[in-house]
Amino acid sequence: MERAEDAGVYKLTEEMAIIQTLDFFTPIVDDPYSFGQIAAANALSDVYAMGGQPLTAMNIVCFPQKTMDMSILTEILQGGVDKMHEAGVVLVGGHSVEDEELKYGLSVTGTVHPARVILNNGARAGDRLIMTKPLGTGIISTAIKGNMAGEGAVAEIVKSMSTLNRKASELMQVVGVSACTDITGFGLLGHAAEMVEGTNIGMVINSAIVPFFPEARELAEMGMIPGGLHRNRDFRKNMIDIDREVPQYLADILFDPQTSGGLLISVPEEKTASLLEKLHKEGITGAAVIGEVVAEPKGRIIVR
Ligand code: CO
Ligand code: CO
């Protein structure tokens, strides 16, 4: 726990460790079924980020029984079950409580070989950084709450957030990578900072290549900024140097808190082209090389 890893890992034998993780939150989209799918994909993601295989899950439900129709809960749970089925995960139980605010998520257990755990702090100077999903889901979800998001943008982020990181995880395991995390609440730069903190490496990120949903730019320029984005920036600003040439909307997007975001992978330079090609071939078309790991300055992130 002293290093902010994506999930807990406990070694059972020389050949097997279990990975455990827990994630739940309030709805970020209006459609209950989609919310269920997104919450499940999000909860499973930490296991994938560590190179593990999720096996079982338990539901965590907070539901306002007195004010909300039970059919909504049924749809949410169905979305979750369908996503678990897609992931080959068995739902083994759960717990629900009455609450004023609806919340849903999963506790997930997976396995991994103890020698093949992919930590978030293994990046080495010379590695390239690959990310697998576009940014901007936090900004667009904030716009949904204010009825400001276009239908197309909502459909795009729902599709992205409900996509499992399974394939990307399998491919990075095939290629062999140095480090990985998934981009969630702290945004790209917050999670990149976790990979760098307390290590002897730094990162250079080429902001012009970072993929994001086009509507996130418009919305950011209109000031549609989630509160978490400001907190992410304040928390990490001492570690990060953003070039003055980087436009403000883009600097914002780099700190945008993501739900069920993609993987951020540190891969040895000579394996980068192969991993990127495999990701693209498997339909992860948004995957891009967004920067590199450097020896100096240590513990810092430079955004160009
Ligand atoms: Co994570
Ligand atoms: Co998590």
Side-chain angles (χ1 to χ4, degrees):
M1 275 176 67
E2 68 243 26
R3 286 214 41 99
E5 279 301 337
D6 288 297
V9 184
Y10 184 83
K11 185 159 103 174
L12 294 175
T13 68
E14 291 308 314
E15 268 81 51
M16 189 178 291
I18 52 169
I19 302 185
Q20 293 178 293
T21 180
L22 163 63
D23 263 295
F24 67 118
F25 47 77
T26 55
I28 47 161
V29 293
D30 293 329
D31 175 51
Y33 182 82
S34 298
F35 171 56
Q37 292 225 304
I38 291 165
N42 180 73
L44 292 163
S45 177
D46 282 324
V47 177
Y48 292 131
M50 300 199 76
Q53 164 78 46
L55 295 178
T56 61
M58 299 217 247
N59 281 335
I60 301 135
V61 179
C62 302
F63 194 74
Q65 233 169 322
K66 294 190 187 92
T67 56
M68 206 176 270
D69 198 292
M70 281 303 279
S71 67
I72 293 175
L73 180 58
T74 308
E75 277 186 63
I76 292 171
L77 297 179
Q78 190 61 51
V81 163
D82 288 352
K83 194 48 73 177
M84 285 179 248
H85 187 247
E86 181 190 333
V89 166
V90 181
L91 181 68
V92 292
H95 187 73
S96 57
V97 292
E98 197 178 334
D99 194 355
E100 275 164 36
E101 200 173 21
L102 171 61
K103 301 175 194 81
Y104 170 64
L106 300 178
S107 150
V108 181
T109 302
T111 55
V112 66
H113 191 288
R116 288 196 282 275
V117 180
I118 302 172
L119 300 175
N120 67 5
N121 69 341
R124 282 173 295 205
D127 283 359
R128 297 297 186 263
L129 296 165
I130 291 183
M131 57 180 280
T132 64
K133 287 185 187 179
L135 300 175
T137 64
I139 291 168
I140 296 171
S141 316
T142 304
I144 291 175
K145 291 187 183 114
N147 275 322
M148 302 275 289
E151 245 171 67
V154 174
E156 267 191 317
I157 65 161
V158 165
K159 185 163 177 257
S160 174
M161 293 187 292
S162 9
T163 300
L164 293 172
N165 282 326
R166 176 188 197 168
K167 199 81 227 176
S169 174
E170 287 169 0
L171 295 173
M172 79 170 170
Q173 293 172 57
V174 167
V175 169
V177 303
S178 313
C180 177
T181 192
D182 57 341
I183 303 173
T184 53
F186 295 129
L188 167 65
L189 291 179
H191 289 283
E194 284 183 337
M195 296 174 85
V196 159
E197 191 170 44
T199 69
N200 60 356
I201 49 109
M203 286 179 183
V204 175
I205 289 173
N206 188 348
S207 63
I209 307 174
V210 173
F212 59 86
F213 296 103
E215 195 155 336
R217 172 182 179 168
E218 284 165 50
L219 292 164
E221 285 176 336
M222 286 162 57
M224 196 58 70
I225 303 288
L229 192 154
H230 296 294
R231 287 194 291 278
N232 288 343
R233 182 169 29 222
D234 290 345
F235 182 47
R236 290 300 188 183
K237 62 182 175 215
N238 296 333
M239 284 178 71
I240 298 168
D241 299 306
I242 301 183
D243 195 287
R244 253 185 261 121
E245 309 275 294
V246 176
Q248 186 56 48
Y249 78 85
L250 190 50
D252 288 339
I253 287 171
L254 300 180
F255 281 110
D256 184 39
Q258 303 299 286
T259 298
S260 192
L263 300 182
L264 176 59
I265 304 167
S266 185
V267 56
E269 198 258 322
E270 68 276 11
K271 296 178 177 176
T272 306
S274 152
L275 179 54
L276 196 65
E277 193 191 303
K278 285 182 169 64
L279 289 165
H280 288 167
K281 209 187 258 173
E282 288 293 336
I284 306 166
T285 49
V289 180
I290 58 147
E292 62 184 296
V293 180
V294 291
E296 295 291 342
K298 292 185 204 316
R300 298 198 67 77
I301 297 172
I302 293 166
V303 182
R304 292 202 174 115

